[in-house]
C-alpha cells in the first residue's frame, strides 16, 4: 500500500505528525493509527528513526513514560510545520484532480 | 522465545546513546507487534535497517562533544581502512604486470611495449597511473600514521595501552626493514647453473630466505597492529580538534587516491572489453594479474573508493558538529 508505480507516496514524517494531531500516542498505537489511517505499516525501526529526527528538530516531544511506553505529542512548532506541508500537498492534489477532471471531460 | 532473543541481538546494533534513549520502548513495541501476529523477520529486518540509518545519520544523537568527536574518529577510520585493505591487492596487480611484459629488445625503449594494440596501450598507461597512485597512497598512509601517532602521544588523556599500541606498527616496520636489508646482505651473489638448477656459490641462501620470511612476518604484524590501533583510537582515543581536522584532509586524500586507482582499473577493463574477450587479451594486466578474479578486483577498488568517500563525507559532517560543541 505504501508503494505504487510512482514510488513511495506516503512520507512517514507526515504520517507520524498527522497521527499525533489526534493527541499524544506511544509507539504501538502510532503504528496502529497510521495503518488504519493510510494503510501504511511502519516498522519499529522506521518509526523510531522518524521520532528521533522529529524530536531533534523540535517537532514532537516525549512525555513521561508510562509502563515502558513513552507517549509523544506534537509541539506547537510541529503543528505549524505540518499545516504548511499539508496545505502544499492539498494545493497540489486539488490542482492535479482538477486537471485530471478537465482532461477526462 | 527465539524471536525475542533475536530482537535483543538486533537492538545491540544500534548506537549506545540510541539504545539508552529508545531501546526499551522499541523492544516493547516490537514484542507487541510480534504478539499481534506480525511477521518476525519483517520486524527484525526493519530494525536492522533502522540501526544502520541511526549509525549513519546520527539523528537524535545528544549534542555531547565526546560523542561527536567519537563519531568523527570512527568516520575517519571508515575513510582510511579501505586503502589499507586494498593495498595488498594493488601490490599483487603490480607483480603480475611486471611478469607479463616482454623483455626489452634491442632498438626498443626499455619501458613499455611498442607493438601492442591500442587497448594494450590503454592498459599500460592505466597501470602507470595506478602505480603512481599506489606510491601516493602508501606515502599518505605513512603520513597519516605519523600524524596520528604524534596526536595520540600529545594528548594526555590517552592511556598507556593506546600509546604503546600506536608505537607497534612503526617498531614492526623498522624490524622488517632491518631483516630485509640483512637478508639482502647475506644473500648469495653468484650461482652455478648445473643441469638447469641454480646452486649458490657464496652467501647464505637459507639464512637470507629466513630473514626475508621474518621481514614479511613483521610487516604482517605491523599491518595487523595498524588496523587494531585504528579501532582502538576510534573507540577510546582522544584527539584534539586540530588533529581531527587534519584527519579530515587525510580522508580526502585517501578517497582521492582510491578513486584514481579505481578509475585506472575501470579504464583498463573497458579497453580490454572493447578489444574483445578480456580473458584472452594480449598483455592484459588485469586478467593476467588477477586471472578470473579480475572483475572482483575492479569491483573491490570501486567499492573501497565508495566506502572511503562515504567515511570522509561523514567525518566532515561530524567534525562540523564537534567544532560547534568544542569546549572553549
Amino acid at each position: 500500500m505504501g508503494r505504487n508505480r510512482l514510488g513511495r507516496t506516503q512520507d512517514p514524517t507526515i504520517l507520524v505528525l498527522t497521527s499525533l494531531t489526534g493527541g499524544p500516542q506511544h509507539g504501538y498505537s502510532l503504528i496502529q493509527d497510521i495503518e488504519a489511517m493510510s494503510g501504511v505499516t511502519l516498522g519499529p525501526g522506521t518509526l523510531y528513526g522518524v521520532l528521533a529526527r522529529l524530536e531533534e528538530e523540535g517537532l514532537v516531544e516525549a512525555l513521561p513514560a508510562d509502563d515502558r511506553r513513552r507517549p509523544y505529542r506534537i509541539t506547537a512548532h510541529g503543528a505549524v510545520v505540518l499545516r504548511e506541508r499539508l496545505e502544499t500537498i492539498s494545493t497540489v492534489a486539488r490542482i492535479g484532480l482538477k486537471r485530471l477532471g478537465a482532461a477526462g471531460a | 522465545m527465539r524471536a525475542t532473543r533475536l530482537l535483543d541481538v538486533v537492538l545491540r546494533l544500534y548506537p549506545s546513546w540510541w539504545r539508552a534513549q529508545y531501546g526499551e520502548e522499541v523492544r516493547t513495541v516490537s514484542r507487541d507487534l510480534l504478539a499481534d501476529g506480525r511477521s518476525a523477520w519483517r520486524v527484525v529486518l526493519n530494525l536492522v535497517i533502522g540501526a544502520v540509518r541511526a549509525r549513519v545519520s546520527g539523528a537524535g544523537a545528544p549534542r555531547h562533544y565526546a560523542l561527536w568527536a567519537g563519531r568523527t574518529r570512527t568516520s575517519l577510520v571508515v575513510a582510511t581502512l579501505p586503502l589499507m585493505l586494498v593495498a595488498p591487492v594493488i601490490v599483487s596487480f603490480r607483480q603480475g604486470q611486471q611478469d607479463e611484459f616482454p623483455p626489452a629488445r634491442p632498438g626498443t625503449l626499455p619501458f613499455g611495449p611498442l607493438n601492442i594494440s591500442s587497448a594494450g596501450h590503454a592498459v599500460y598507461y592505466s597501470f602507470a597511473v595506478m602505480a603512481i597512485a599506489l606510491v601516493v597512497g602508501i606515502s599518505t598512509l605513512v603520513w597519516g600514521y605519523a600524524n596520528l601517532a604524534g596526536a595520540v602521544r600529545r594528548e594526555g588523556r590517552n592511556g598507556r595501552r593506546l600509546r604503546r599500541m600506536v608505537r607497534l606498527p612503526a617498531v614492526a616496520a623498522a624490524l622488517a626493514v632491518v631483516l630485509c636489508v640483512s637478508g639482502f646482505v647475506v644473500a648469495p651473489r653468484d650461482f652455478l647453473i648445473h643441469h638447469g638448477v641454480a646452486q649458490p656459490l657464496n652467501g647464505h641462501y637459507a639464512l637470507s630466505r629466513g630473514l626475508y620470511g621474518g621481514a614479511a612476518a613483521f610487516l604482517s604484524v605491523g599491518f595487523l597492529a595498524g588496523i587494531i590501533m585504528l579501532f582502538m583510537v576510534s573507540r577510546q582515543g582522544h584527539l584534539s580538534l586540530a588533529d581531527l581536522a587534519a584527519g579530515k584532509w587525510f580522508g580526502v586524500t585517501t578517497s582521492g587516491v582510491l578513486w584514481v586507482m579505481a578509475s585506472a582499473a575501470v579504464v583498463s577493463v573497458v579497453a580490454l572489453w572493447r578489444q574483445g574477450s578480456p580473458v584472452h587479451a594480449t598483455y592484459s594486466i588485469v586478467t593476467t594479474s588477477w586471472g578470473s578474479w579480475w572483475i572482483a578486483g575492479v569491483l573491490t577498488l570501486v567499492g573501497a573508493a565508495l566506502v572511503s568517500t562515504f567515511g570522509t563525507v561523514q567525518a566532515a559532517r561530524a567534525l562540523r558538529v564537534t567544532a560547534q560543541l568544542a569546549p572553549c
Side-chain angles (χ1 to χ4, degrees):
Chain A
M1 194 72 180
R3 283 174 187 275
N4 58 21
R5 282 191 301 160
L6 297 176
R8 199 181 178 94
T9 50
Q10 281 91 354
D11 179 357
T13 311
I14 301 276
L15 293 175
V16 169
L17 285 173
T18 306
S19 178
L20 289 176
T21 52
Q25 292 187 78
H26 56 73
Y28 185 61
S29 67
L30 266 172
I31 290 174
Q32 284 183 316
D33 187 47
I34 288 169
E35 204 167 18
M37 180 174 68
S38 64
V40 176
T41 307
L42 293 185
T46 309
L47 176 67
Y48 280 89
V50 171
L51 283 173
R53 207 173 62 241
L54 292 175
E55 217 181 340
E56 189 181 40
E57 290 169 9
L59 303 182
V60 301
E61 62 187 359
L63 298 172
D66 167 31
D67 186 28
R68 290 197 295 182
R69 288 178 171 82
R70 193 162 37 164
Y72 292 85
R73 76 168 165 214
I74 190 166
T75 60
H77 175 51
V80 170
V81 170
L82 178 66
R83 183 178 290 278
E84 283 172 5
R85 296 276 297 271
L86 289 177
E87 276 171 359
T88 308
I89 293 169
S90 168
T91 307
V92 172
R94 209 170 40 244
I95 293 170
L97 287 169
K98 196 176 165 188
R99 287 180 183 173
L100 277 172
Chain B
M1 195 175 156
R2 264 172 60 194
T4 317
R5 229 175 295 144
L6 191 59
L7 279 181
D8 292 339
V9 173
V10 171
L11 283 173
R12 278 192 212 135
L13 298 176
Y14 281 88
S16 53
W17 60 264
W18 198 97
R19 285 202 305 272
Q21 207 164 339
Y22 301 105
E24 269 308 304
E25 273 179 83
V26 173
R27 187 179 281 115
T28 309
V29 169
S30 303
R31 282 180 180 169
D32 286 347
L33 286 170
L34 293 179
D36 206 20
R38 311 288 176 119
S39 157
W41 70 266
R42 281 183 91 159
V43 170
V44 166
L45 184 68
N46 187 265
L47 284 173
V48 170
I49 294 168
V52 174
R53 281 188 180 152
R55 285 199 175 272
V56 170
S57 72
R63 311 283 274 185
H64 295 157
Y65 175 79
L67 180 80
W68 284 90
R71 275 185 70 84
T72 311
R73 289 196 306 272
T74 306
S75 302
L76 287 174
V77 170
V78 172
T80 312
L81 216 51
L83 181 60
M84 282 184 77
L85 296 179
V86 301
V89 179
I90 307 299
V91 171
S92 76
F93 191 100
R94 184 172 166 267
Q95 191 59 50
Q97 187 274 340
Q98 281 182 336
D99 294 344
E100 181 60 18
F101 278 112
R105 286 171 293 148
T108 63
L109 291 171
F111 52 91
L114 295 176
N115 301 319
I116 59 172
S117 64
S118 56
H121 273 114
V123 172
Y124 179 72
Y125 288 115
S126 297
F127 165 73
V129 169
M130 196 175 273
I132 293 166
L134 180 67
V135 172
V136 174
I138 290 173
S139 311
T140 307
L141 285 176
V142 172
W143 163 61
Y145 167 71
N147 269 334
L148 181 64
V152 167
R153 281 204 300 269
R154 271 197 304 277
E155 184 60 63
R157 287 174 295 169
N158 288 317
R160 268 173 75 184
R161 223 168 114 195
L162 181 59
R163 285 160 185 268
R164 279 186 192 159
M165 193 67 206
V166 155
R167 283 198 193 118
L168 195 54
V171 172
L175 284 170
V177 169
V178 169
L179 289 181
C180 198
V181 170
S182 309
F184 181 75
V185 170
V186 300
R189 297 280 175 274
D190 304 304
F191 292 88
L192 174 69
I193 309 293
H194 186 63
H195 294 297
V197 179
Q199 290 177 339
L201 294 175
N202 51 19
H204 302 277
Y205 180 74
L207 181 62
S208 79
R209 300 295 292 180
L211 288 168
Y212 283 141
F218 273 114
L219 217 53
S220 307
V221 168
F223 181 75
L224 280 176
I227 291 174
I228 294 168
M229 176 201 76
L230 280 178
F231 279 110
M232 284 178 75
V233 167
S234 80
R235 292 191 73 84
Q236 51 185 264
H238 294 280
L239 297 175
S240 69
L241 197 61
D243 290 324
L244 288 175
K248 185 187 84 173
W249 292 110
F250 174 67
V252 169
T253 314
T254 304
S255 50
V257 163
L258 280 168
W259 275 117
V260 170
M261 285 179 175
S263 308
V266 169
V267 165
S268 62
V269 167
V270 169
L272 290 167
W273 198 269
R274 282 171 67 90
Q275 178 182 267
S277 166
V279 178
H280 301 295
T282 316
Y283 302 123
S284 156
I285 295 168
V286 176
T287 55
T288 53
S289 301
W290 292 336
S292 55
W293 290 95
W294 64 271
I295 189 74
V298 173
L299 287 177
T300 302
L301 274 176
V302 174
L306 283 170
V307 171
S308 179
T309 307
F310 169 75
T312 306
V313 171
Q314 287 291 104
R317 282 182 186 161
L319 183 64
R320 217 173 304 141
V321 180
T322 311
Q324 288 167 3
L325 300 170
C328 297

